[in-house]
């Protein structure tokens, strides 16, 4: 296989992945989301916060949290706390959050062994 063909094949595969992303790629393709997800890993399940508090915890702007709050709700990482004004959120009690914490623990353990 020629180098040109390999590069073209690689680019085609990359574009195919972008066109049909996995849940992980779909979530992490947004610039601010990895930082927000990382910040969620520091919070205990059920911890409540508003957008300003979450932004301060994550080290991002409130606008960044506002941009991605609906996405984080849609994928069950956070959930709205009913009847709160201003709107409060909490780390969701979901399979996604449990799996995220498990993945993070496994990655941390692998890093300690390396």
């Amino acid at each position: 296989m020629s180098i040109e063909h390999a590069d073209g094949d690689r680019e085609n595969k990359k574009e195919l992945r972008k066109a049909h992303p996995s849940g992980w790629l779909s979530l992490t393709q947004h610039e601010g989301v990895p930082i927000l997800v990382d910040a969620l890993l520091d919070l205990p399940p059920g911890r409540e916060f508003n957008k300003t508090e979450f932004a301060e915890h994550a080290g991002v702007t409130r606008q960044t949290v506002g941009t991605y709050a609906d996405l984080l709700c849609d994928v069950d990482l956070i959930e709205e706390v009913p009847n709160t004004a201003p709107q409060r959120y909490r780390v969701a009690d979901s399979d996604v959050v449990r799996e995220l914490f498990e993945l993070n623990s496994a990655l941390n353990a692998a890093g300690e062994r390396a």
Side-chain angles (χ1 to χ4, degrees), residues 1-16:
M1 178 184 307
S2 70
I3 292 175
E4 293 82 17
H5 180 73
D7 287 344
D9 190 44
R10 185 175 16 254
E11 190 61 33
N12 288 339
K13 287 179 182 178
K14 181 179 176 182
E15 291 308 313
L16 186 60

Side-chain angles (χ1 to χ4, degrees), residues 38-47 49 54 57 91 101:
D38 188 69
L40 288 174
L41 291 167
D42 289 342
L43 298 174
R47 168 71 186 273
F49 49 85
F54 188 35
H57 176 71
V91 177
F101 275 83

Side-chain angles (χ1 to χ4, degrees), residues 6 12-13 18 23 28-30 34 37 57 59 67 74-75 98:
N12 288 339
K13 287 179 182 178
K18 287 181 177 180
T28 59
Q29 71 184 345
H30 304 281
V37 171
H57 176 71
T67 298
D74 289 346
V75 298
R98 284 185 284 282

Side-chain angles (χ1 to χ4, degrees), residues 73-92:
C73 284
D74 289 346
V75 298
D76 293 332
L77 287 172
I78 64 173
E79 58 192 15
E80 293 182 348
V81 176
N83 305 316
T84 56
Q87 181 64 61
R88 294 188 66 77
Y89 301 86
R90 66 179 153 233
V91 177

